[in-house]
Structure formats: C-alpha cells, structure tokens
Amino acid sequence: MEQWKGKVAIVTGASAGIGEAIVFKLMKYGVHVVALARREVKLKELAESPNGKGNNYGTLHTKVCDVTDEQAVKNIFSWVDSALGGVSILINNAGTAKVSSLLNGKLEDWQDIMNLNVLALNVCSREAYQSMTRNKIDGHIIQVNSTAGHNITPYFSMKIYNASKHVVRVLCEGLRHELQLVGSKIKVSSISPGEVSTDLSLNILERSRESNSIVQVNNINKLQTEDVANAVISTLATPPTVLIAEMTIVAKGSTIQPHFQPSPTVVKNLLNS
C-alpha cells in the first residue's frame, strides 16, 4: 500500500456499512479520502468518528453527492482535480437492493436499482478515468460487486438486483478492454462479497421474511464490513504488473451459490400482498 500513501481516493456510498469501513481502512494507510454519500447527517458522523484519526492517517473530505446525478458527480471530480490534484483510487461502493418481483414489481423500483448499481457506477468510472488521464495517474478503479452477480438469488423478488450485479461484471471486463485498447495502465478490479452484515442486508431480510425459510436465512454466515475493506486493501496492494480482476469472498462455511428455495405458499402470499 506504500504506493498509495498521500494519494487521493473517492469512495461512494461512504457514510455507513461497507463504505465507512473502506474509508477508515484507506485513511489508516495514509490515503486521503473523499467520502461521497447522500445523507449529510451520516457524513458528519463519519467526519467526527475517532476511527479516522491517528498518526500518519490520511485526511478525510466529506461531500454530499447523489451519484445518480451526473452533473453532481462531474462537479465532485472537477473539485478533486482542482483542489487535490486528481483521483488515484475510485471505490464504487454505492448500491441498493429492493424486494421487487419480475411478476408484479414496480418500474420505479427497477429503475432505482439500475440507476444506482449500474449507470451511476459507470458515470463515476468514466469520470475517474478522465481525471486520472488528465493528471497522468496510473490509478485503480474498484467496483464493489456481489456474489449476486455470480448466481441467481433464490430469494423471491431479488432478480432485478441479480441482473444489476451481473451487469457490473460485464462492465468491469468491458472497461478493462477499452483501457487496454487506448493503452492505459489504469487497473479495474471487482470485489464480490457474499452476505455482509449491514443495515441494507438486514432490511432486505426483514422484507423477505418468510415462514418456512427464515431460520435458514438467518443462519447464513455473514462477512463483516471490515472483511470487505481488507479485500480492497489486498486488491490495491498488488504490484504494478499484477491485477486482481475478480475477488470473490464469502464467510467461512458459506457457498457462492445459495442452496435453499422459498416455499410456494410464501411466493403466493407475496404475489397477493
């Protein structure tokens, strides 16, 4: 990580959960972090946290930003260019999941998922590439994906989320290919964690609660946010000649592909709700 000390990282979805853990882990290694999130109150709590304070720690800049707003994203990268000399690391962590069936879901829910998980991620990646190129920085773009991008989740009403994460895998390889074609040395990595103990995860489980399988759901081993932050550090710590294209991590005792199904009764009840 020595090569990144004193450099600038942008982390999206930074105010809580995985994003918060990544912010503090990067700062611990002397990286200056621009933390983006929509919730100003949570960003203030992040800035005041003692976890980000220590000798030789990087500095923290918090910015309220809805990454689904293209102009807001452009403004952030422009500020980073002028105030901090450009970005060296982008961690695309912002994402959402909603319980919304293919059979009776709402278009606005599907659009929210795709707008944040796919389009906003791509806009941020584009702006990072342009900033790195302008400032002659051989940077690193890391997409925080999910094992949901490597399987079809058996939870009812989660298939649009699956689709969004499968798209991220395609975008990663596509971005690597385009960077190769233009002769860029910017790295692109994907980190796909399994179930992580976060508020978002708990909310999804609550909304997917079902009489016959809730015990199985609750008994799934979960990663901690710190585990994902450590994966980010491991990915960044590779030498210039090595790229971790895809890192998949799950809690010990877990599998990448889930092996349980909701009962037909539960599916029927959900459709009628």
Side-chain angles (χ1 to χ4, degrees):
M1 283 296 292
E2 191 62 29
Q3 71 267 35
W4 301 113
K5 190 172 183 178
K7 305 298 185 182
V8 176
I10 293 177
V11 180
T12 71
S15 63
I18 293 171
E20 178 182 19
I22 292 171
V23 166
F24 291 140
K25 186 67 68 171
L26 288 171
M27 291 175 65
K28 185 177 180 180
Y29 283 91
V31 179
H32 305 307
V33 178
V34 180
L36 308 185
R38 290 178 294 184
R39 297 179 292 179
E40 186 172 8
V41 172
K42 297 296 291 184
L43 283 174
K44 184 178 180 181
E45 292 174 0
L46 187 77
E48 295 173 350
S49 172
N51 293 333
K53 297 176 175 62
N55 293 332
N56 300 317
Y57 272 38
T59 55
L60 174 63
H61 307 271
T62 59
K63 296 287 183 180
V64 176
C65 180
D66 179 354
V67 292
T68 64
D69 181 339
E70 182 183 18
Q71 189 57 54
V73 171
K74 287 183 174 182
N75 292 344
I76 289 293
F77 278 89
S78 177
W79 176 83
V80 170
D81 275 0
S82 61
L84 303 176
V87 63
S88 294
I89 299 167
L90 169 66
I91 311 294
N92 268 316
N93 169 70
T96 188
K98 295 187 176 185
V99 177
S100 186
S101 165
L102 301 180
L103 304 180
N104 67 346
K106 296 178 181 178
L107 176 60
E108 65 179 89
D109 288 338
W110 303 344
Q111 289 173 329
D112 286 347
I113 291 170
M114 288 297 182
N115 283 341
L116 183 54
N117 294 5
V118 176
L119 298 180
L121 173 144
N122 211 48
V123 167
C124 289
S125 298
R126 181 194 66 195
E127 295 305 310
Y129 160 72
Q130 294 182 0
S131 173
M132 292 172 186
T133 302
R134 280 193 299 269
N135 294 286
K136 297 179 171 56
I137 295 171
D138 295 333
H140 202 146
I141 298 170
I142 296 179
Q143 322 291 26
V144 179
N145 198 357
S146 168
T147 53
H150 299 258
N151 61 42
I152 298 296
T153 307
Y155 305 152
F156 189 71
S157 303
M158 292 296 291
K159 304 310 185 291
I160 289 291
Y161 177 72
N162 277 131
S164 73
K165 293 303 185 178
H166 278 267
V167 172
V168 171
R169 289 175 59 204
V170 175
L171 291 177
C172 283
E173 185 65 7
L175 188 54
R176 281 189 287 265
H177 184 224
E178 291 195 5
L179 289 168
Q180 179 191 61
L181 292 176
V182 300
S184 174
K185 295 181 181 179
I186 296 170
K187 293 183 179 183
V188 178
S189 300
S190 171
I191 297 176
S192 295
E195 193 80 31
V196 183
S197 182
T198 64
D199 289 343
L200 177 62
S201 173
L202 289 173
N203 182 54
I204 291 298
L205 289 178
E206 282 298 317
R207 297 210 43 207
S208 299
R209 185 173 295 275
E210 45 186 70
S211 58
N212 291 339
S213 66
I214 190 63
V215 174
Q216 290 175 291
V217 171
N218 282 343
N219 284 342
I220 291 177
N221 295 327
K222 295 182 182 180
L223 295 165
Q224 300 302 310
T225 56
E226 179 88 358
D227 298 323
V228 184
N230 286 334
V232 167
I233 297 303
S234 296
T235 302
L236 288 170
T238 52
T241 55
V242 175
L243 168 68
I244 295 176
E246 171 68 47
M247 179 186 288
T248 304
I249 58 172
V250 297
K252 184 178 179 180
S254 300
T255 59
I256 296 174
Q257 180 68 46
H259 295 287
F260 54 88
Q261 296 287 341
S263 71
T265 301
V266 168
V267 171
K268 183 177 179 180
N269 289 339
L270 284 168
L271 280 174
N272 293 330
S273 62

